[in-house]
Amino acid sequence: MPEDVSVVVVGSCMTDLVSQAPRLPKAGETIHGHKFFIGFGGKGANQCVQAARMGAKTAMVCKVGRDVFGNDYIQNFKNNGISTAYAEQTENAATGAASIIVNDTGENAIVIVAGANMLLGQEELQRAQSAIVNAKVLICQLEINPDASLQALRMAKENHVKTIFNPAPAVADLHSDFYKASDVFCCNESEAELLTGLSVITVEDASRVGLELLSKGCGSVIVTLGPQGCVVCQSTNTVPKHIPTTAVTAADTTSTILLKITSRSYGKMTSRKNISLWEQATASLVLWLSTWPTIPQCRWKRWPGEPTSSQQCLYKLSARRHLFHFGRICQLNYSEGEAKVSSPLICAQCPQNYCLYNKQYQVLECS
């Protein structure tokens, strides 16, 4: 049994049915799209997969249907090195599904049918209790029954497990215990606005809203602001901190907050240096499309004689391990034979004009 996992995610699994079109259709309108694909999504599953690709030992607590989508989902968790001991299947509902339309500017419209996700409850959490209370970090959201998310957060908090809560999809009457059970409360502008009733447009607005949320009992609050970066408020230092990001043209914003959330589960969760690094990562992330495909796994090539980056990588992993990488803002340290090699790497999907080094290199393709 995987009681020794570092990160446990209690949350949703969605099969994504993604259509790309020049624009979003109006009500009652039918338009032609130019691409369609089926992917693996759901806020919880995305966070779990990203944590695993960062190198954390992860487990997913979820419920999917006993159908082809559910079977594929379980296998995909295994393919990503995620424990499926608490990923259960049911015949009483279909696997959750999301219909997603993405336009040419990266905006999206999403309709979700939660399906089996809403059947995740107290019994399933009791079976996963040993993994939750022995983890280092628990991550929850609101795409499952809110009572199940709150119970998981309480269970973790009572056992001194660090908790990260993403209140999405947001609800106006969120139970007050969600704030008190959250070491890190991470939301975007629209979620923060719904939770507080305060408009969030500028960095100053986000600072005010962050302090309002912090007063409800959170350990720290992160309000993400898209191209403006994010604002961090902490109970130990109530002066809001604005962390800017790099401006890029987005292909799809679906997974950006997921990267921010899972990055908090690695190392010092609200370090200004770490958050700044991950803001750069999400700037690169929105250059790709959809949910799991947005967080690509790449095959790397070493560049002998290249100048080393001044920014050390967060990882020390095998050179053969598939890993999400965000252009050239870090380097990967790995073993080559008996020698330790420190070498800059580049992803084939990192367009030259978005590369921080802004140079041309021969690259390998991404999977």
Side-chain angles (χ1 to χ4, degrees), residues 159-192:
N159 288 274
H160 310 291
V161 176
K162 293 293 184 183
T163 57
I164 303 177
F165 178 55
N166 172 217
V171 292
D173 56 345
L174 186 68
H175 196 294
S176 61
D177 283 359
F178 274 105
Y179 302 101
K180 299 170 186 175
S182 300
D183 290 310
V184 177
F185 190 95
C186 186
C187 58
N188 64 20
E189 313 101 298
S190 60
E191 292 154 3

Side-chain angles (χ1 to χ4, degrees), residues 63-67 71 88-95 115-116 119:
K63 203 146 199 175
V64 296
R66 196 171 295 280
D67 49 35
N71 294 339
E88 301 187 10
Q89 291 184 274
T90 178
E91 295 180 349
N92 296 325
T95 300
L119 300 183

Side-chain angles (χ1 to χ4, degrees), residues 244-246 248 259 273-285 287-288 300 306-315 324-332 343-347 350-351 354-358 361:
T245 190
T246 303
V248 297
L259 177 60
K273 180 179 179 182
N274 284 353
I275 293 174
S276 180
L277 178 63
W278 288 105
E279 283 295 346
Q280 294 177 66
T282 51
S284 177
L285 177 61
L287 302 178
W288 292 289
W300 307 109
E306 293 242 314
T308 58
S309 168
S310 60
Q311 178 67 61
Q312 291 297 310
C313 186
L314 297 179
Y315 320 109
F324 166 63
H325 186 69
F326 31 91
R328 293 176 51 82
I329 69 172
C330 72
Q331 62 189 48
L332 182 65
S343 177
L345 304 164
I346 186 170
C347 169
C350 177
Y354 292 121
C355 177
L356 296 187
Y357 279 70
N358 200 28
Y361 296 94

Side-chain angles (χ1 to χ4, degrees), residues 238-282:
T238 55
V239 178
K241 298 177 182 142
H242 174 225
I243 314 294
T245 190
T246 303
V248 297
T249 302
D252 183 6
T253 60
T254 304
S255 290
T256 55
I257 196 169
L258 306 180
L259 177 60
K260 297 175 195 290
I261 291 165
T262 50
S263 70
R264 307 295 183 261
S265 69
Y266 226 72
K268 195 171 182 180
M269 291 194 294
T270 53
S271 158
R272 183 184 180 95
K273 180 179 179 182
N274 284 353
I275 293 174
S276 180
L277 178 63
W278 288 105
E279 283 295 346
Q280 294 177 66
T282 51

Side-chain angles (χ1 to χ4, degrees), residues 120-140:
L120 180 64
Q122 183 174 356
E123 292 183 7
E124 291 76 17
L125 291 177
Q126 287 300 319
R127 286 192 283 271
Q129 182 175 5
S130 58
I132 293 172
V133 302
N134 287 289
K136 294 180 180 178
V137 178
L138 173 77
I139 304 175
C140 290

